Coordinates of all heavy atoms in Angstrom, one line a residue:
E191 N 38.6 47.3 -88.2 CA 38.1 47.7 -89.5 C 36.6 47.6 -89.7 O 36.1 46.5 -89.4 CB 38.8 46.9 -90.7 CG 38.3 47.3 -92.0 CD 39.1 46.7 -93.1 OE1 40.1 45.9 -92.9 OE2 38.7 46.8 -94.3
V192 N 36.0 48.6 -90.0 CA 34.5 48.6 -90.2 C 34.2 48.0 -91.5 O 34.7 48.4 -92.6 CB 33.9 50.1 -90.1 CG1 32.4 50.1 -90.5 CG2 34.1 50.6 -88.7
A193 N 33.5 46.8 -91.5 CA 33.2 46.1 -92.7 C 31.8 46.4 -93.1 O 31.4 46.1 -94.3 CB 33.3 44.6 -92.3
A194 N 30.9 47.0 -92.4 CA 29.6 47.4 -92.8 C 29.0 48.4 -91.8 O 29.2 48.3 -90.6 CB 28.7 46.1 -92.9
L195 N 28.2 49.3 -92.5 CA 27.3 50.3 -91.6 C 26.1 49.5 -91.4 O 25.5 49.0 -92.4 CB 27.1 51.5 -92.4 CG 26.5 52.6 -91.7 CD1 27.7 53.4 -91.2 CD2 25.7 53.5 -92.5
L196 N 25.5 49.4 -90.2 CA 24.3 48.8 -89.9 C 23.2 49.8 -89.9 O 23.3 50.8 -89.3 CB 24.3 48.1 -88.6 CG 25.5 47.1 -88.3 CD1 25.5 46.5 -86.9 CD2 25.4 45.9 -89.3
H197 N 22.1 49.5 -90.6 CA 21.0 50.6 -90.7 C 19.7 49.9 -91.1 O 19.7 48.8 -91.7 CB 21.3 51.6 -91.7 CG 21.5 51.1 -93.1 ND1 20.5 51.0 -94.0 CD2 22.6 50.6 -93.7 CE1 20.9 50.4 -95.1 NE2 22.2 50.3 -95.1
T198 N 18.6 50.5 -90.7 CA 17.4 50.1 -91.2 C 17.0 51.1 -92.4 O 17.9 51.8 -92.8 CB 16.2 50.3 -90.2 OG1 16.2 51.8 -89.9 CG2 16.5 49.6 -88.9
D199 N 15.8 51.0 -92.9 CA 15.4 52.0 -94.0 C 15.6 53.4 -93.5 O 16.0 54.2 -94.4 CB 13.9 51.8 -94.3 CG 13.7 50.9 -95.4 OD1 14.7 50.4 -96.0 OD2 12.5 50.6 -95.8
Q200 N 15.4 53.7 -92.3 CA 15.2 55.1 -91.9 C 16.5 55.6 -91.2 O 16.9 56.7 -91.3 CB 14.1 55.3 -90.9 CG 12.8 55.5 -91.5 CD 12.1 54.2 -91.8 OE1 12.3 53.2 -91.0 NE2 11.5 54.0 -92.9
R201 N 17.2 54.6 -90.5 CA 18.3 55.2 -89.6 C 19.5 54.2 -89.4 O 19.3 53.0 -89.5 CB 17.7 55.6 -88.2 CG 17.1 54.6 -87.3 CD 16.9 55.1 -85.9 NE 18.2 55.5 -85.4 CZ 18.7 56.6 -85.0 NH1 17.9 57.6 -85.2 NH2 19.9 56.8 -84.6
V202 N 20.5 54.8 -89.0 CA 21.7 54.1 -88.7 C 21.6 53.4 -87.3 O 21.0 53.9 -86.4 CB 22.9 55.1 -88.6 CG1 24.1 54.5 -87.9 CG2 23.3 55.5 -90.0
E203 N 22.1 52.1 -87.3 CA 22.0 51.5 -85.9 C 23.4 51.1 -85.3 O 23.5 50.6 -84.3 CB 21.2 50.2 -86.1 CG 19.9 50.4 -86.7 CD 18.7 49.8 -86.0 OE1 19.0 48.6 -85.8 OE2 17.7 50.4 -85.6
G204 N 24.4 51.3 -86.2 CA 25.7 50.9 -85.6 C 26.7 50.4 -86.7 O 26.5 50.7 -88.0
V205 N 27.7 49.7 -86.4 CA 28.6 49.1 -87.4 C 29.0 47.8 -87.1 O 28.9 47.2 -86.0 CB 29.9 50.0 -87.5 CG1 29.6 51.5 -87.9 CG2 30.7 49.9 -86.2
A206 N 29.4 46.9 -88.2 CA 29.9 45.6 -88.0 C 31.4 45.7 -88.4 O 31.8 46.4 -89.3 CB 29.2 44.6 -88.9
L207 N 32.2 45.0 -87.5 CA 33.7 45.0 -87.8 C 34.1 43.8 -88.6 O 33.3 42.8 -88.6 CB 34.4 45.0 -86.4 CG 34.1 46.2 -85.5 CD1 35.1 46.2 -84.3 CD2 34.3 47.5 -86.3
R208 N 35.1 43.8 -89.3 CA 35.7 42.8 -90.0 C 35.8 41.5 -89.1 O 35.6 40.4 -89.5 CB 37.1 43.2 -90.6 CG 37.9 42.2 -91.3 CD 37.5 41.9 -92.7 NE 37.4 43.1 -93.5 CZ 36.6 43.3 -94.5 NH1 35.7 42.4 -94.9 NH2 36.5 44.5 -95.2
S209 N 36.2 41.7 -87.8 CA 36.4 40.6 -86.9 C 35.0 39.8 -86.6 O 35.0 38.9 -86.0 CB 36.9 41.1 -85.5 OG 35.9 42.1 -85.0
G210 N 34.0 40.5 -87.0 CA 32.5 39.9 -86.7 C 31.9 40.6 -85.6 O 30.7 40.4 -85.4
D211 N 32.6 41.4 -84.9 CA 32.0 42.2 -83.7 C 30.9 43.1 -84.3 O 31.1 43.7 -85.4 CB 33.0 43.1 -83.0 CG 33.6 42.3 -81.8 OD1 33.3 41.0 -81.8 OD2 34.3 42.8 -81.0
R212 N 29.8 43.3 -83.5 CA 28.8 44.3 -84.0 C 28.7 45.4 -82.9 O 28.7 45.0 -81.7 CB 27.5 43.6 -84.2 CG 27.6 42.4 -85.1 CD 26.4 41.5 -85.0 NE 25.3 42.1 -85.6 CZ 25.1 42.2 -86.9 NH1 25.9 41.7 -87.8 NH2 24.0 42.7 -87.4
I213 N 28.6 46.6 -83.3 CA 28.6 47.7 -82.3 C 27.4 48.6 -82.6 O 27.2 49.1 -83.7 CB 29.9 48.5 -82.5 CG1 31.1 47.6 -81.9 CG2 29.9 49.8 -81.6 CD1 32.4 48.1 -82.5
G214 N 26.6 48.8 -81.5 CA 25.4 49.6 -81.6 C 25.8 51.1 -81.4 O 26.6 51.4 -80.5
A215 N 25.3 52.0 -82.1 CA 25.6 53.4 -81.9 C 24.4 54.2 -82.5 O 23.8 53.9 -83.5 CB 26.8 53.9 -82.6
E216 N 24.0 55.3 -81.6 CA 22.9 56.1 -82.0 C 23.3 56.8 -83.3 O 22.5 57.1 -84.1 CB 22.7 57.2 -80.9 CG 22.1 56.7 -79.7 CD 20.6 56.4 -79.9 OE1 19.9 57.1 -80.5 OE2 20.3 55.2 -79.5
R217 N 24.6 57.3 -83.4 CA 25.1 58.1 -84.4 C 26.4 57.5 -84.9 O 27.2 57.1 -84.0 CB 25.2 59.6 -84.0 CG 23.9 60.3 -83.9 CD 24.0 61.4 -82.9 NE 23.7 60.8 -81.5 CZ 23.5 61.4 -80.4 NH1 23.6 62.7 -80.4 NH2 23.3 60.8 -79.3
V218 N 26.6 57.5 -86.2 CA 27.9 57.0 -86.8 C 28.5 58.2 -87.5 O 27.8 58.8 -88.4 CB 27.7 55.8 -87.6 CG1 29.1 55.5 -88.3 CG2 27.2 54.6 -86.8
V219 N 29.8 58.5 -87.2 CA 30.5 59.6 -88.0 C 31.5 58.9 -88.9 O 32.3 58.2 -88.4 CB 31.2 60.6 -87.1 CG1 32.0 61.7 -87.9 CG2 30.2 61.3 -86.1
V220 N 31.4 59.1 -90.2 CA 32.3 58.5 -91.2 C 33.4 59.5 -91.3 O 33.3 60.6 -91.9 CB 31.7 58.1 -92.5 CG1 32.7 57.4 -93.3 CG2 30.5 57.3 -92.3
A221 N 34.6 59.2 -90.8 CA 35.8 60.1 -90.8 C 36.9 59.2 -91.4 O 38.0 59.3 -90.8 CB 36.1 60.7 -89.5
A222 N 36.7 58.4 -92.4 CA 37.6 57.5 -92.9 C 38.5 58.0 -94.0 O 39.0 57.3 -94.8 CB 36.8 56.2 -93.3
G223 N 38.6 59.3 -94.1 CA 39.6 59.9 -95.0 C 39.2 59.5 -96.5 O 38.0 59.5 -96.9
A224 N 40.3 59.2 -97.3 CA 40.1 58.9 -98.7 C 39.2 57.6 -98.9 O 38.7 57.4 -99.9 CB 41.4 58.7 -99.3
W225 N 39.1 56.8 -97.8 CA 38.3 55.6 -97.9 C 36.8 55.8 -97.5 O 36.0 54.8 -97.4 CB 38.9 54.5 -97.0 CG 40.4 54.2 -97.3 CD1 40.8 53.3 -98.2 CD2 41.6 54.9 -96.8 NE1 42.2 53.3 -98.3 CE2 42.7 54.3 -97.5 CE3 41.8 56.0 -96.0 CZ2 43.9 54.7 -97.3 CZ3 43.1 56.4 -95.8 CH2 44.2 55.8 -96.5
A226 N 36.5 57.1 -97.2 CA 35.1 57.3 -96.6 C 34.0 56.7 -97.5 O 32.9 56.3 -97.0 CB 35.0 58.7 -96.4
A227 N 34.1 56.9 -98.8 CA 33.1 56.5 -99.7 C 33.0 54.9 -99.9 O 32.1 54.4 -100.5 CB 33.1 57.2 -101.1
Q228 N 34.0 54.2 -99.3 CA 34.1 52.8 -99.6 C 33.5 52.0 -98.6 O 33.5 50.8 -98.6 CB 35.6 52.4 -99.6 CG 36.5 53.3 -100.5 CD 36.5 52.9 -101.9 OE1 36.6 51.7 -102.2 NE2 36.3 53.8 -102.8
I229 N 33.1 52.6 -97.4 CA 32.5 51.8 -96.3 C 31.3 51.0 -96.8 O 30.3 51.6 -97.3 CB 32.0 52.7 -95.1 CG1 33.1 53.7 -94.7 CG2 31.5 51.9 -94.0 CD1 34.3 53.1 -93.9
P230 N 31.4 49.7 -96.7 CA 30.3 48.8 -97.2 C 29.0 49.0 -96.4 O 29.0 49.4 -95.2 CB 30.8 47.4 -97.1 CG 32.3 47.5 -96.9 CD 32.5 48.9 -96.2

Side-chain angles (χ1 to χ4, degrees):
E191 181 173 351
V192 172
L195 194 93
L196 304 176
H197 62 89
T198 65
D199 263 357
Q200 280 82 37
R201 63 164 297 114
V202 162
E203 303 227 312
V205 296
L207 302 186
R208 176 81 50 217
S209 63
D211 273 9
R212 306 163 72 78
I213 291 157
E216 287 294 307
R217 286 149 276 188
V218 174
V219 180
V220 185
W225 301 269
Q228 314 273 313
I229 304 291

